[in-house]
Amino acid sequence: MTGTINRKFTRREFATLVLGAALAGGASRVSAAVNPAEGYVGRIAGEVMSLANSGAKGNALRGKFASVLNRYINLRTIANFALGPYQKKLPAGDKNEFYTLFNNYAAALFVYYVDDFKGSDLEIISTSKQGSFTTITSAIVLKGGGREQVKWRLVPAGGGYKVSDINIKGVWLTIATKKRFSDVLNRSKGDFEALFAELREAETW
């Protein structure tokens, strides 16, 4: 699958956007986590690193990542925003299938590229608060060299936090997914089966 997002984003770049918070969790440690929001990011790091090194593969690993992502990332909110004006047109009877496919798609993207993020370090650069949102800026130090700045936006949830949006390469996840889904639905003239078919392709990666 080679769909595009804005600046001709590849599937690798889209995977990083969808899973930025979790990919940052590929780090072996989190530097300078000094408050609950940063500690939350550190917990993601521990769980994802454990999975990345578990030796599990295929459907088993995808299922475990889906569980982690559902705990830490507000995927349903992101999925709804990604539909844009089409959200109101999604048949009620198809909503559960859409959310399930979106969750599986996100997990499959992570599994597809998980080896690229093993053995990294995550450095916390800054934390800022605006209204109910907490934005953390960090840098992923990749095992193969190089550094990738990642920002993620947290919202209060159940006495803790949930990831509501992620920014990599200057692009916010919510905007990128909305562009991608809108392109598919515009081409299909609003036929959701075309979008569902694209999401199902993740099962074959």
Side-chain angles (χ1 to χ4, degrees), residues 1-11 13-14 17 105 175-184 187 198:
M1 185 170 53
T2 57
T4 60
I5 306 174
N6 293 334
R7 299 179 289 100
K8 298 293 184 182
F9 269 59
T10 64
R11 184 167 71 190
E13 291 170 327
F14 187 60
L17 276 166
Y105 182 68
I175 296 172
T177 51
K178 183 177 181 180
K179 175 65 168 63
R180 188 182 187 95
F181 286 11
S182 292
D183 286 347
V184 173
R187 288 196 303 268
E198 174 157 325

mmCIF file of all heavy atoms in Angstrom, residues 1-11 13-14 17 105 175-184 187 198:
data_model
loop_
_atom_site.group_PDB
_atom_site.id
_atom_site.type_symbol
_atom_site.label_atom_id
_atom_site.label_comp_id
_atom_site.label_asym_id
_atom_site.label_seq_id
_atom_site.Cartn_x
_atom_site.Cartn_y
_atom_site.Cartn_z
ATOM 1 N N MET A 1 0.856 -1.184 0.000
ATOM 2 C CA MET A 1 0.000 0.000 0.000
ATOM 3 C C MET A 1 0.889 1.229 0.000
ATOM 4 O O MET A 1 1.794 1.344 0.790
ATOM 5 C CB MET A 1 -0.878 -0.014 1.241
ATOM 6 C CG MET A 1 -1.889 1.101 1.285
ATOM 7 S SD MET A 1 -3.050 0.821 2.629
ATOM 8 C CE MET A 1 -1.914 0.594 4.001
ATOM 9 N N THR A 2 0.638 2.184 -0.876
ATOM 10 C CA THR A 2 1.537 3.304 -1.030
ATOM 11 C C THR A 2 0.798 4.627 -1.100
ATOM 12 O O THR A 2 1.158 5.530 -1.833
ATOM 13 C CB THR A 2 2.389 3.135 -2.301
ATOM 14 O OG1 THR A 2 1.499 3.004 -3.418
ATOM 15 C CG2 THR A 2 3.297 1.939 -2.195
ATOM 16 N N GLY A 3 -0.289 4.785 -0.350
ATOM 17 C CA GLY A 3 -1.041 6.038 -0.358
ATOM 18 C C GLY A 3 -0.169 7.202 0.072
ATOM 19 O O GLY A 3 0.895 7.038 0.640
ATOM 20 N N THR A 4 -0.612 8.418 -0.209
ATOM 21 C CA THR A 4 0.183 9.587 0.112
ATOM 22 C C THR A 4 -0.516 10.465 1.124
ATOM 23 O O THR A 4 -1.727 10.476 1.230
ATOM 24 C CB THR A 4 0.453 10.432 -1.150
ATOM 25 O OG1 THR A 4 -0.808 10.850 -1.678
ATOM 26 C CG2 THR A 4 1.209 9.635 -2.184
ATOM 27 N N ILE A 5 0.279 11.205 1.876
ATOM 28 C CA ILE A 5 -0.249 12.181 2.828
ATOM 29 C C ILE A 5 0.541 13.459 2.641
ATOM 30 O O ILE A 5 1.741 13.489 2.842
ATOM 31 C CB ILE A 5 -0.052 11.696 4.272
ATOM 32 C CG1 ILE A 5 -0.642 10.321 4.437
ATOM 33 C CG2 ILE A 5 -0.670 12.656 5.240
ATOM 34 C CD1 ILE A 5 -0.351 9.736 5.782
ATOM 35 N N ASN A 6 -0.123 14.522 2.265
ATOM 36 C CA ASN A 6 0.525 15.818 2.106
ATOM 37 C C ASN A 6 1.810 15.696 1.281
ATOM 38 O O ASN A 6 1.761 15.522 0.093
ATOM 39 C CB ASN A 6 0.801 16.452 3.477
ATOM 40 C CG ASN A 6 -0.493 16.820 4.171
ATOM 41 O OD1 ASN A 6 -1.505 17.067 3.543
ATOM 42 N ND2 ASN A 6 -0.455 16.864 5.493
ATOM 43 N N ARG A 7 2.985 15.726 1.955
ATOM 44 C CA ARG A 7 4.258 15.788 1.252
ATOM 45 C C ARG A 7 4.714 14.412 0.805
ATOM 46 O O ARG A 7 5.826 13.989 1.074
ATOM 47 C CB ARG A 7 5.320 16.412 2.162
ATOM 48 C CG ARG A 7 4.995 17.831 2.582
ATOM 49 C CD ARG A 7 6.029 18.422 3.501
ATOM 50 N NE ARG A 7 6.030 17.840 4.823
ATOM 51 C CZ ARG A 7 6.876 16.913 5.237
ATOM 52 N NH1 ARG A 7 7.783 16.426 4.438
ATOM 53 N NH2 ARG A 7 6.815 16.451 6.466
ATOM 54 N N LYS A 8 3.888 13.658 0.092
ATOM 55 C CA LYS A 8 4.248 12.338 -0.415
ATOM 56 C C LYS A 8 4.806 11.454 0.687
ATOM 57 O O LYS A 8 5.847 10.841 0.551
ATOM 58 C CB LYS A 8 5.279 12.468 -1.559
ATOM 59 C CG LYS A 8 4.767 13.240 -2.763
ATOM 60 C CD LYS A 8 3.664 12.494 -3.464
ATOM 61 C CE LYS A 8 3.223 13.224 -4.716
ATOM 62 N NZ LYS A 8 2.116 12.556 -5.424
ATOM 63 N N PHE A 9 4.101 11.379 1.812
ATOM 64 C CA PHE A 9 4.549 10.566 2.925
ATOM 65 C C PHE A 9 4.539 9.095 2.526
ATOM 66 O O PHE A 9 3.583 8.600 1.940
ATOM 67 C CB PHE A 9 3.637 10.752 4.150
ATOM 68 C CG PHE A 9 4.108 11.837 5.066
ATOM 69 C CD1 PHE A 9 4.255 13.136 4.605
ATOM 70 C CD2 PHE A 9 4.413 11.554 6.376
ATOM 71 C CE1 PHE A 9 4.694 14.130 5.457
ATOM 72 C CE2 PHE A 9 4.845 12.554 7.241
ATOM 73 C CZ PHE A 9 4.978 13.844 6.766
ATOM 74 N N THR A 10 5.618 8.393 2.854
ATOM 75 C CA THR A 10 5.672 6.961 2.619
ATOM 76 C C THR A 10 4.954 6.241 3.741
ATOM 77 O O THR A 10 4.600 6.829 4.758
ATOM 78 C CB THR A 10 7.136 6.486 2.605
ATOM 79 O OG1 THR A 10 7.697 6.706 3.902
ATOM 80 C CG2 THR A 10 7.940 7.232 1.558
ATOM 81 N N ARG A 11 4.736 4.914 3.565
ATOM 82 C CA ARG A 11 4.108 4.152 4.644
ATOM 83 C C ARG A 11 4.971 4.196 5.886
ATOM 84 O O ARG A 11 4.463 4.227 6.999
ATOM 85 C CB ARG A 11 3.877 2.701 4.212
ATOM 86 C CG ARG A 11 3.143 1.890 5.260
ATOM 87 C CD ARG A 11 2.654 0.575 4.716
ATOM 88 N NE ARG A 11 3.742 -0.331 4.466
ATOM 89 C CZ ARG A 11 3.604 -1.486 3.795
ATOM 90 N NH1 ARG A 11 2.444 -1.812 3.292
ATOM 91 N NH2 ARG A 11 4.621 -2.288 3.598
ATOM 92 N N GLU A 13 6.824 6.683 6.974
ATOM 93 C CA GLU A 13 6.600 7.948 7.662
ATOM 94 C C GLU A 13 5.210 7.990 8.287
ATOM 95 O O GLU A 13 5.028 8.503 9.382
ATOM 96 C CB GLU A 13 6.793 9.114 6.679
ATOM 97 C CG GLU A 13 8.244 9.288 6.256
ATOM 98 C CD GLU A 13 8.404 10.259 5.112
ATOM 99 O OE1 GLU A 13 7.511 10.330 4.253
ATOM 100 O OE2 GLU A 13 9.430 10.953 5.080
ATOM 101 N N PHE A 14 4.231 7.425 7.584
ATOM 102 C CA PHE A 14 2.887 7.396 8.146
ATOM 103 C C PHE A 14 2.848 6.516 9.387
ATOM 104 O O PHE A 14 2.190 6.825 10.374
ATOM 105 C CB PHE A 14 1.898 6.881 7.102
ATOM 106 C CG PHE A 14 0.471 6.979 7.538
ATOM 107 C CD1 PHE A 14 -0.080 8.209 7.843
ATOM 108 C CD2 PHE A 14 -0.314 5.849 7.652
ATOM 109 C CE1 PHE A 14 -1.406 8.309 8.242
ATOM 110 C CE2 PHE A 14 -1.632 5.944 8.063
ATOM 111 C CZ PHE A 14 -2.181 7.176 8.352
ATOM 112 N N LEU A 17 4.035 8.448 12.247
ATOM 113 C CA LEU A 17 3.028 9.388 12.734
ATOM 114 C C LEU A 17 1.982 8.679 13.575
ATOM 115 O O LEU A 17 1.646 9.104 14.673
ATOM 116 C CB LEU A 17 2.347 10.087 11.549
ATOM 117 C CG LEU A 17 3.076 11.304 10.997
ATOM 118 C CD1 LEU A 17 2.491 11.685 9.646
ATOM 119 C CD2 LEU A 17 2.971 12.464 11.956
ATOM 120 N N TYR A 105 -4.971 -1.607 12.216
ATOM 121 C CA TYR A 105 -4.102 -0.938 11.249
ATOM 122 C C TYR A 105 -2.927 -0.267 11.970
ATOM 123 O O TYR A 105 -1.768 -0.399 11.569
ATOM 124 C CB TYR A 105 -4.942 0.094 10.504
ATOM 125 C CG TYR A 105 -4.258 0.879 9.423
ATOM 126 C CD1 TYR A 105 -3.846 0.262 8.245
ATOM 127 C CD2 TYR A 105 -4.063 2.254 9.553
ATOM 128 C CE1 TYR A 105 -3.255 0.994 7.225
ATOM 129 C CE2 TYR A 105 -3.475 2.993 8.545
ATOM 130 C CZ TYR A 105 -3.068 2.357 7.377
ATOM 131 O OH TYR A 105 -2.486 3.089 6.375
ATOM 132 N N ILE A 175 -4.150 15.540 11.462
ATOM 133 C CA ILE A 175 -4.247 16.175 10.149
ATOM 134 C C ILE A 175 -3.829 15.207 9.048
ATOM 135 O O ILE A 175 -4.461 15.125 7.982
ATOM 136 C CB ILE A 175 -3.382 17.449 10.117
ATOM 137 C CG1 ILE A 175 -3.929 18.471 11.123
ATOM 138 C CG2 ILE A 175 -3.339 18.046 8.719
ATOM 139 C CD1 ILE A 175 -3.042 19.678 11.314
ATOM 140 N N ALA A 176 -2.762 14.445 9.296
ATOM 141 C CA ALA A 176 -2.267 13.509 8.286
ATOM 142 C C ALA A 176 -3.269 12.400 7.989
ATOM 143 O O ALA A 176 -3.507 12.055 6.824
ATOM 144 C CB ALA A 176 -0.939 12.902 8.754
ATOM 145 N N THR A 177 -3.853 11.826 9.033
ATOM 146 C CA THR A 177 -4.818 10.754 8.808
ATOM 147 C C THR A 177 -6.082 11.278 8.151
ATOM 148 O O THR A 177 -6.684 10.594 7.304
ATOM 149 C CB THR A 177 -5.179 10.044 10.125
ATOM 150 O OG1 THR A 177 -5.565 11.010 11.105
ATOM 151 C CG2 THR A 177 -4.021 9.227 10.644
ATOM 152 N N LYS A 178 -6.488 12.489 8.498
ATOM 153 C CA LYS A 178 -7.672 13.075 7.873
ATOM 154 C C LYS A 178 -7.450 13.242 6.371
ATOM 155 O O LYS A 178 -8.339 12.949 5.561
ATOM 156 C CB LYS A 178 -8.000 14.417 8.511
ATOM 157 C CG LYS A 178 -9.266 15.062 7.969
ATOM 158 C CD LYS A 178 -9.577 16.362 8.694
ATOM 159 C CE LYS A 178 -10.852 16.999 8.170
ATOM 160 N NZ LYS A 178 -11.142 18.278 8.879
ATOM 161 N N LYS A 179 -6.262 13.695 5.974
ATOM 162 C CA LYS A 179 -5.940 13.858 4.554
ATOM 163 C C LYS A 179 -5.955 12.511 3.841
ATOM 164 O O LYS A 179 -6.520 12.376 2.748
ATOM 165 C CB LYS A 179 -4.565 14.518 4.413
ATOM 166 C CG LYS A 179 -4.056 14.634 2.978
ATOM 167 C CD LYS A 179 -4.914 15.566 2.143
ATOM 168 C CE LYS A 179 -4.242 15.910 0.813
ATOM 169 N NZ LYS A 179 -4.040 14.764 -0.059
ATOM 170 N N ARG A 180 -5.355 11.520 4.470
ATOM 171 C CA ARG A 180 -5.271 10.197 3.845
ATOM 172 C C ARG A 180 -6.664 9.597 3.659
ATOM 173 O O ARG A 180 -7.016 9.105 2.580
ATOM 174 C CB ARG A 180 -4.420 9.267 4.707
ATOM 175 C CG ARG A 180 -4.115 7.916 4.057
ATOM 176 C CD ARG A 180 -3.303 7.036 4.980
ATOM 177 N NE ARG A 180 -2.862 5.820 4.304
ATOM 178 C CZ ARG A 180 -1.688 5.678 3.723
ATOM 179 N NH1 ARG A 180 -0.842 6.699 3.689
ATOM 180 N NH2 ARG A 180 -1.350 4.557 3.132
ATOM 181 N N PHE A 181 -7.478 9.618 4.711
ATOM 182 C CA PHE A 181 -8.812 9.028 4.637
ATOM 183 C C PHE A 181 -9.712 9.804 3.677
ATOM 184 O O PHE A 181 -10.509 9.214 2.945
ATOM 185 C CB PHE A 181 -9.448 8.968 6.024
ATOM 186 C CG PHE A 181 -8.873 7.911 6.926
ATOM 187 C CD1 PHE A 181 -7.713 7.227 6.587
ATOM 188 C CD2 PHE A 181 -9.481 7.608 8.129
ATOM 189 C CE1 PHE A 181 -7.178 6.260 7.416
ATOM 190 C CE2 PHE A 181 -8.961 6.633 8.970
ATOM 191 C CZ PHE A 181 -7.805 5.959 8.612
ATOM 192 N N SER A 182 -9.576 11.127 3.677
ATOM 193 C CA SER A 182 -10.392 11.947 2.782
ATOM 194 C C SER A 182 -10.076 11.631 1.326
ATOM 195 O O SER A 182 -10.982 11.569 0.485
ATOM 196 C CB SER A 182 -10.154 13.439 3.044
ATOM 197 O OG SER A 182 -10.652 13.816 4.312
ATOM 198 N N ASP A 183 -8.793 11.421 1.016
ATOM 199 C CA ASP A 183 -8.410 11.075 -0.352
ATOM 200 C C ASP A 183 -9.088 9.781 -0.797
ATOM 201 O O ASP A 183 -9.612 9.682 -1.911
ATOM 202 C CB ASP A 183 -6.893 10.924 -0.464
ATOM 203 C CG ASP A 183 -6.168 12.266 -0.440
ATOM 204 O OD1 ASP A 183 -6.836 13.303 -0.584
ATOM 205 O OD2 ASP A 183 -4.933 12.259 -0.274
ATOM 206 N N VAL A 184 -9.069 8.774 0.082
ATOM 207 C CA VAL A 184 -9.681 7.485 -0.258
ATOM 208 C C VAL A 184 -11.188 7.638 -0.456
ATOM 209 O O VAL A 184 -11.757 7.151 -1.441
ATOM 210 C CB VAL A 184 -9.394 6.442 0.842
ATOM 211 C CG1 VAL A 184 -10.177 5.150 0.576
ATOM 212 C CG2 VAL A 184 -7.901 6.142 0.923
ATOM 213 N N ARG A 187 -12.174 9.619 -3.618
ATOM 214 C CA ARG A 187 -12.039 8.809 -4.838
ATOM 215 C C ARG A 187 -13.173 7.812 -4.979
ATOM 216 O O ARG A 187 -13.619 7.501 -6.090
ATOM 217 C CB ARG A 187 -10.695 8.067 -4.845
ATOM 218 C CG ARG A 187 -9.485 8.943 -5.093
ATOM 219 C CD ARG A 187 -8.265 8.115 -5.460
ATOM 220 N NE ARG A 187 -7.939 7.136 -4.437
ATOM 221 C CZ ARG A 187 -7.096 7.360 -3.439
ATOM 222 N NH1 ARG A 187 -6.506 8.544 -3.331
ATOM 223 N NH2 ARG A 187 -6.826 6.416 -2.555
ATOM 224 N N GLU A 198 -8.693 -0.672 2.415
ATOM 225 C CA GLU A 198 -7.327 -0.198 2.653
ATOM 226 C C GLU A 198 -6.871 -0.552 4.061
ATOM 227 O O GLU A 198 -5.731 -0.989 4.260
ATOM 228 C CB GLU A 198 -7.249 1.316 2.449
ATOM 229 C CG GLU A 198 -5.899 1.876 2.812
ATOM 230 C CD GLU A 198 -5.583 3.198 2.123
ATOM 231 O OE1 GLU A 198 -6.001 3.374 0.965
ATOM 232 O OE2 GLU A 198 -4.907 4.029 2.742
#
